[in-house]
Amino acid sequence: MRKVYLDHNATTPTHPEVVKAMLPYYGKIYGNPSSIHQFGQEARKAIDEAREKVADFIGAIQEEIIFTSGGTEADNFAIKGIAYANEKKGKHIITSSIEHHAVLNPCKYLEKQGFQVTYLPVDKYGLVDPDEVEKAITKETILITIMHANNEIGTIEPIAEIGKIAKEKGICLHTDAVQTVGKIPVNVNKLNIDSLSLSAHKIYGPKGIGGLYVHKGIRIQPLIEGGHHEKNRRAGTENVPAIVGLGKAVEIAKTTLDKESIYLTNLRDGLCSGIGEKIDSVYLNGHPVKRLPNTLNMSFEFVEGESIILNLDMKGIAVSSGSACTSGSLEPSHVLKAMGVEPAIAQGSVRFSLGKDNTEEDIDYVLEVLPEIIVRLRAMSPLYRKQKG
Ligand SMILES: *Cc1c(COP(=O)(O)O)cnc(C)c1O
């Protein structure tokens, strides 16, 4: 059976070149980067090179990059670390209601610790209004954390504008850029951001490795105490092979990003219009153009997203509903809810997230299989039968 993977916002296959770059560090280059002998120094050099690649890719300098165990740790570190280091100045944080749980849950945790958190609303496209950010700022505000692009719907937030406001007010701005670094151009200076999370496995790198950019001079308290690794900001012997893999992944992304984004936009828009032509009562979730090139989230009225996923899976097609973390529960996505999507429509949402190895044939296959599935599922829906008479 044909296999079509359309769940790249959950994770991507590791690029063969990335695996190749990592292998020596599982073999003969095994030294501890903290050791001063040659074995250690060889590993240290590999980390330095990877750090340079990551820093260069987002317009930062080496000292501003801290390697973490992934996007989740980077988000936790930024939010808790900046909050604790600055709590004497104030205890108010601003975020949005459509963040990834790696941001929402640290914010909820801090609320229990006596911080106040404002969860900003979004419009029907999932956009945060920079004016709302400005209005929410108080004398107590120490951190604004708004994601760069949403993982479920792909909407790209106006981070540069929000960054301008944060800068004027002297407030730290963190952005979860896990879905953008490697997919669209990201430059920390152009975006006016002080802190940014990224992850390797969303961009053809290995799982369990990511990074946090922290602008020079921003105060941040470590989450993990121990040795003097990462300039005393994140203790623990470095995951050398994974760091090398992350470095390679961004090195590849740097050369392929522009072409790939055009390729994926075309492929995705073909899928979108194909669905629109073949299936009635479908709606696009997310912004029509301010959106990640690879992401398409659509609601199929009168059908459960979960049923669509299971039926597509039987045909070898992998998609998701909402975020991977919320799959398995039938709770409608917090993102669609915040956008004001009616619960009945939100239930029927499916996310197609494309990747570099997807082809026209993959899309044709989906367009062949999906309409039949929808017809079959709708035939079982009393609501649908009633409406269509
Ligand atoms: C995947 C993802 C994360 C978590 O990253 P991990 O490396 O899997 O921990 C955080 N934020 C967003 C927007 C994501 O898509």
Side-chain angles (χ1 to χ4, degrees), residues 183-209:
K183 292 187 181 177
I184 60 171
V186 175
N187 181 293
V188 293
N189 304 308
K190 285 189 191 150
L191 292 176
N192 290 314
I193 47 188
D194 302 296
S195 168
L196 168 150
S197 303
L198 58 93
S199 176
H201 77 101
K202 305 283 173 86
I203 54 165
Y204 311 101
K207 292 166 183 60
I209 189 73

Short mmCIF file of all heavy atoms in Angstrom, two decimals, residues 183-209:
data_model
loop_
_atom_site.label_atom_id
_atom_site.label_comp_id
_atom_site.label_asym_id
_atom_site.label_seq_id
_atom_site.Cartn_x
_atom_site.Cartn_y
_atom_site.Cartn_z
N LYS A 183 11.73 26.79 8.28
CA LYS A 183 10.62 26.75 7.32
C LYS A 183 10.41 28.09 6.62
O LYS A 183 10.07 28.13 5.44
CB LYS A 183 9.32 26.36 8.03
CG LYS A 183 9.29 24.94 8.55
CD LYS A 183 7.89 24.63 9.06
CE LYS A 183 7.82 23.23 9.63
NZ LYS A 183 6.49 22.97 10.20
N ILE A 184 10.53 29.17 7.38
CA ILE A 184 10.46 30.51 6.80
C ILE A 184 11.64 31.30 7.37
O ILE A 184 12.19 30.90 8.40
CB ILE A 184 9.11 31.23 7.11
CG1 ILE A 184 8.90 31.39 8.63
CG2 ILE A 184 7.93 30.48 6.50
CD1 ILE A 184 7.71 32.28 9.00
N PRO A 185 12.05 32.40 6.72
CA PRO A 185 13.20 33.12 7.25
C PRO A 185 12.94 33.64 8.68
O PRO A 185 11.86 34.16 8.95
CB PRO A 185 13.36 34.30 6.28
CG PRO A 185 12.68 33.85 5.02
CD PRO A 185 11.55 32.98 5.46
N VAL A 186 13.89 33.44 9.55
CA VAL A 186 13.77 33.94 10.93
C VAL A 186 15.07 34.66 11.27
O VAL A 186 16.15 34.07 11.19
CB VAL A 186 13.56 32.78 11.94
CG1 VAL A 186 13.57 33.31 13.37
CG2 VAL A 186 12.25 32.05 11.66
N ASN A 187 14.93 35.95 11.62
CA ASN A 187 16.10 36.71 12.05
C ASN A 187 15.74 37.43 13.34
O ASN A 187 14.82 38.25 13.36
CB ASN A 187 16.51 37.71 10.96
CG ASN A 187 17.74 38.50 11.37
OD1 ASN A 187 17.69 39.30 12.30
ND2 ASN A 187 18.84 38.29 10.68
N VAL A 188 16.46 37.11 14.40
CA VAL A 188 16.09 37.62 15.73
C VAL A 188 16.17 39.15 15.81
O VAL A 188 15.41 39.76 16.56
CB VAL A 188 16.95 36.99 16.85
CG1 VAL A 188 16.65 35.50 16.98
CG2 VAL A 188 18.44 37.22 16.64
N ASN A 189 17.03 39.75 15.00
CA ASN A 189 17.16 41.21 15.04
C ASN A 189 16.01 41.88 14.30
O ASN A 189 15.44 42.86 14.77
CB ASN A 189 18.50 41.63 14.45
CG ASN A 189 19.64 40.96 15.19
OD1 ASN A 189 19.71 41.02 16.41
ND2 ASN A 189 20.49 40.25 14.46
N LYS A 190 15.67 41.32 13.14
CA LYS A 190 14.55 41.89 12.38
C LYS A 190 13.23 41.73 13.15
O LYS A 190 12.32 42.53 13.01
CB LYS A 190 14.43 41.20 11.01
CG LYS A 190 15.50 41.68 10.04
CD LYS A 190 15.22 41.14 8.65
CE LYS A 190 16.43 41.39 7.74
NZ LYS A 190 16.56 40.36 6.70
N LEU A 191 13.13 40.65 13.91
CA LEU A 191 11.88 40.40 14.66
C LEU A 191 11.86 41.10 16.01
O LEU A 191 10.84 41.06 16.70
CB LEU A 191 11.69 38.89 14.86
CG LEU A 191 11.40 38.06 13.61
CD1 LEU A 191 11.34 36.57 13.96
CD2 LEU A 191 10.10 38.47 12.94
N ASN A 192 12.96 41.73 16.40
CA ASN A 192 13.04 42.42 17.70
C ASN A 192 12.76 41.49 18.88
O ASN A 192 12.02 41.86 19.80
CB ASN A 192 12.02 43.57 17.78
CG ASN A 192 12.38 44.72 16.88
OD1 ASN A 192 13.54 45.14 16.84
ND2 ASN A 192 11.41 45.21 16.12
N ILE A 193 13.30 40.27 18.83
CA ILE A 193 13.02 39.37 19.94
C ILE A 193 14.22 39.17 20.84
O ILE A 193 15.37 39.31 20.42
CB ILE A 193 12.49 38.00 19.45
CG1 ILE A 193 13.37 37.48 18.31
CG2 ILE A 193 11.05 38.06 19.05
CD1 ILE A 193 12.82 36.26 17.66
N ASP A 194 13.93 38.84 22.09
CA ASP A 194 14.99 38.66 23.09
C ASP A 194 15.26 37.19 23.34
O ASP A 194 16.30 36.83 23.88
CB ASP A 194 14.55 39.29 24.41
CG ASP A 194 14.24 40.76 24.24
OD1 ASP A 194 15.17 41.51 23.91
OD2 ASP A 194 13.07 41.14 24.39
N SER A 195 14.31 36.34 22.98
CA SER A 195 14.44 34.93 23.31
C SER A 195 13.60 34.12 22.32
O SER A 195 12.53 34.58 21.90
CB SER A 195 13.94 34.75 24.75
OG SER A 195 13.78 33.39 25.05
N LEU A 196 14.13 32.97 21.91
CA LEU A 196 13.45 32.17 20.88
C LEU A 196 13.73 30.69 21.07
O LEU A 196 14.86 30.30 21.35
CB LEU A 196 13.94 32.64 19.50
CG LEU A 196 13.62 31.83 18.25
CD1 LEU A 196 13.52 32.76 17.04
CD2 LEU A 196 14.68 30.76 17.97
N SER A 197 12.68 29.88 20.94
CA SER A 197 12.84 28.42 21.05
C SER A 197 12.86 27.79 19.67
O SER A 197 12.07 28.18 18.81
CB SER A 197 11.66 27.81 21.80
OG SER A 197 11.51 28.38 23.06
N LEU A 198 13.72 26.80 19.49
CA LEU A 198 13.72 26.03 18.25
C LEU A 198 13.94 24.56 18.57
O LEU A 198 14.36 24.21 19.67
CB LEU A 198 14.79 26.57 17.29
CG LEU A 198 16.24 26.59 17.74
CD1 LEU A 198 16.96 25.32 17.31
CD2 LEU A 198 16.96 27.80 17.17
N SER A 199 13.60 23.72 17.60
CA SER A 199 13.70 22.28 17.81
C SER A 199 14.18 21.61 16.53
O SER A 199 13.83 22.04 15.43
CB SER A 199 12.32 21.73 18.20
OG SER A 199 12.37 20.33 18.33
N ALA A 200 14.97 20.54 16.67
CA ALA A 200 15.56 19.91 15.48
C ALA A 200 14.59 18.99 14.75
O ALA A 200 14.58 18.94 13.52
CB ALA A 200 16.81 19.12 15.88
N HIS A 201 13.75 18.25 15.50
CA HIS A 201 13.00 17.18 14.84
C HIS A 201 11.84 17.67 13.98
O HIS A 201 11.22 16.87 13.28
CB HIS A 201 12.54 16.12 15.85
CG HIS A 201 11.37 16.49 16.69
ND1 HIS A 201 10.10 16.03 16.42
CD2 HIS A 201 11.26 17.25 17.79
CE1 HIS A 201 9.27 16.50 17.33
NE2 HIS A 201 9.95 17.25 18.19
N LYS A 202 11.55 18.97 14.02
CA LYS A 202 10.52 19.49 13.13
C LYS A 202 11.13 19.91 11.78
O LYS A 202 10.41 20.27 10.87
CB LYS A 202 9.82 20.69 13.78
CG LYS A 202 9.22 20.43 15.17
CD LYS A 202 7.92 19.66 15.12
CE LYS A 202 7.43 19.26 16.49
NZ LYS A 202 6.64 20.27 17.18
N ILE A 203 12.46 19.90 11.72
CA ILE A 203 13.13 20.33 10.49
C ILE A 203 14.17 19.30 10.03
O ILE A 203 15.28 19.63 9.66
CB ILE A 203 13.76 21.74 10.63
CG1 ILE A 203 14.70 21.82 11.86
CG2 ILE A 203 12.67 22.80 10.76
CD1 ILE A 203 15.62 23.05 11.85
N TYR A 204 13.76 18.01 10.08
CA TYR A 204 14.58 16.91 9.55
C TYR A 204 15.84 16.65 10.37
O TYR A 204 16.79 16.03 9.90
CB TYR A 204 14.92 17.14 8.06
CG TYR A 204 13.70 17.49 7.26
CD1 TYR A 204 13.42 18.81 6.90
CD2 TYR A 204 12.79 16.50 6.92
CE1 TYR A 204 12.26 19.14 6.20
CE2 TYR A 204 11.63 16.81 6.23
CZ TYR A 204 11.37 18.13 5.87
OH TYR A 204 10.23 18.45 5.17
N GLY A 205 15.84 17.13 11.62
CA GLY A 205 16.92 16.82 12.55
C GLY A 205 16.47 15.72 13.50
O GLY A 205 15.34 15.23 13.40
N PRO A 206 17.34 15.36 14.44
CA PRO A 206 16.99 14.29 15.39
C PRO A 206 16.04 14.78 16.49
O PRO A 206 15.95 15.97 16.75
CB PRO A 206 18.35 13.91 16.00
CG PRO A 206 19.19 15.13 15.85
CD PRO A 206 18.71 15.85 14.61
N LYS A 207 15.35 13.85 17.12
CA LYS A 207 14.47 14.18 18.24
C LYS A 207 15.29 14.38 19.51
O LYS A 207 16.38 13.85 19.64
CB LYS A 207 13.44 13.07 18.43
CG LYS A 207 12.45 13.00 17.27
CD LYS A 207 11.65 11.72 17.27
CE LYS A 207 10.72 11.64 16.08
NZ LYS A 207 11.44 11.68 14.76
N GLY A 208 14.73 15.13 20.44
CA GLY A 208 15.41 15.29 21.74
C GLY A 208 16.51 16.32 21.74
O GLY A 208 17.38 16.29 22.62
N ILE A 209 16.51 17.23 20.78
CA ILE A 209 17.50 18.31 20.80
C ILE A 209 16.85 19.59 20.25
O ILE A 209 16.05 19.55 19.32
CB ILE A 209 18.78 17.95 19.99
CG1 ILE A 209 19.89 19.00 20.20
CG2 ILE A 209 18.49 17.76 18.51
CD1 ILE A 209 20.57 18.95 21.54
#
